[in-house]
Amino acid sequence: VNGGSGTLFVTGCNLRCAFCQNYQISQCGLGKELSIEETVKLFFALKEKGAENINIVTGSHAIPFLATAIKQAKEAGLDLPICWNCSAYESIEALEMLKGLVDIWLPDLKTLNPMMSEAVFKASDYPPVAKKAIRWMIKNTKSRFITVSDKTNPKQTKEKMLSGVIIRHLVMPGRLEDTILT
């Protein structure tokens, strides 16, 4: 790793996006099953390799398991920010299980059109669920940054996020009107 994000892709997904860039992982079962203990060890292995955060990708369908693993890792001394990299398709009850465990929320906001969300990822309720989830993330997370020296140019500094919310908003070709928040 040597800097950057220590990424853990979770096999499976709670959406079925027609354009998924991780299709083999999210829909074809690529990956292997880990115990909670193995997951905790993986977090520490990523840290030892120089990861600046633990980036959990598409973990929404495994929140109880991952919340337990994150909690155990933090109790064992893991001091890296935990990044929750998701589709924003989580219930508030599921997000509550991650409260105080996730530092950085990285949700994708894919569309606000229910007909498009049904056609493209088989979830007509995606827009209201995603809006509610993102609002919860913002309400429950204080943004914190630190200034660090740039490793490639020590005379320059950059801001590094320790906690907060970064929303990636997808605009599908020809569908700009689907991005307007109501």
Side-chain angles (χ1 to χ4, degrees), residues 42-180:
L42 179 59
F43 293 162
F44 280 99
L46 290 167
K47 179 182 177 177
E48 288 172 23
K49 289 184 177 187
E52 296 180 21
N53 63 55
I54 303 298
N55 183 352
I56 301 171
V57 180
T58 65
S60 303
H61 58 286
I63 286 176
F65 174 91
L66 291 165
T68 301
I70 296 166
K71 185 174 187 221
Q72 286 185 14
K74 288 189 174 207
E75 288 171 352
L78 184 68
D79 57 356
L80 295 179
I82 302 294
C83 177
W84 192 258
N85 190 333
C86 65
S87 64
Y89 193 56
E90 288 100 353
S91 69
I92 300 306
E93 295 77 20
L95 293 172
E96 285 288 335
M97 287 186 243
L98 296 169
K99 191 173 187 175
L101 299 173
V102 169
D103 304 290
I104 300 168
W105 300 92
L106 187 57
D108 289 338
L109 182 55
K110 298 174 183 287
T111 184
L112 295 171
N113 179 330
M115 290 183 294
M116 179 61 74
S117 63
E118 175 62 32
V120 178
F121 34 91
K122 310 293 182 240
S124 61
D125 65 339
Y126 176 83
V129 170
K131 286 193 286 187
K132 195 181 280 188
I134 290 170
R135 286 182 175 129
W136 183 96
M137 292 171 191
I138 293 167
K139 179 182 174 194
N140 287 283
T141 310
K142 182 177 171 36
S143 295
R144 291 187 317 124
F145 297 85
I146 60 170
T147 302
V148 295
S149 294
D150 187 325
K151 291 179 182 176
T152 58
N153 185 354
K155 291 181 182 180
Q156 289 190 350
T157 60
K158 60 183 178 179
E159 294 293 308
K160 181 175 165 183
M161 180 179 262
L162 298 178
S163 66
V165 180
I166 301 170
I167 302 167
R168 294 179 297 200
H169 189 50
L170 178 66
V171 179
M172 293 193 209
R175 306 298 303 195
L176 183 60
E177 69 278 4
D178 293 348
T179 70
I180 299 168

Side-chain angles (χ1 to χ4, degrees), residues 10-17 20 25-27 58-61 87:
V10 179
T11 302
C13 186
N14 59 354
L15 289 176
R16 294 290 174 250
C17 301
C20 182
I25 299 167
S26 71
Q27 297 177 40
T58 65
S60 303
H61 58 286
S87 64

